[in-house]
Amino acid sequence: MAYRYWCGECDHRTPWLDQPRAAQQLLQHYARHHPAAPPGGRIETTRRTPGTGPGCLAALAALALLLAFAAARRH
């Protein structure tokens, strides 16, 4: 499972990470940008594995562009 923490004071959010790393990044954000405020905000969760990017989506987009380019050159 992956977690993303949102700051309760501004629009900052962590990337999708495992829970300890996401919490640590939020605490570091509060220490730098909101030192007088207690950490707060909200937490999002997803079932995907932390650190996995849009690899398949990028490959499909590249394939679609290649097919569109080939089709355009045919005409």
Side-chain angles (χ1 to χ4, degrees):
M1 186 166 295
Y3 298 81
R4 179 163 61 182
Y5 283 63
W6 291 73
C7 177
E9 309 299 320
C10 66
D11 62 352
H12 173 79
R13 66 178 185 253
T14 68
W16 291 104
L17 300 167
D18 58 43
Q19 191 172 16
R21 287 182 24 204
Q24 181 63 35
Q25 281 198 6
L26 184 68
L27 290 174
Q28 289 172 352
H29 168 77
Y30 265 87
R32 279 191 305 267
H33 299 283
H34 315 291
R42 62 186 175 109
I43 304 169
E44 280 184 278
T45 60
T46 184
R47 291 180 187 239
R48 71 182 180 102
T49 306
T52 57
C56 290
L57 183 60
L60 286 174
L63 180 60
L65 285 173
L66 182 62
L67 289 173
F69 180 74
R73 289 192 39 103
R74 256 181 117 189
H75 295 293

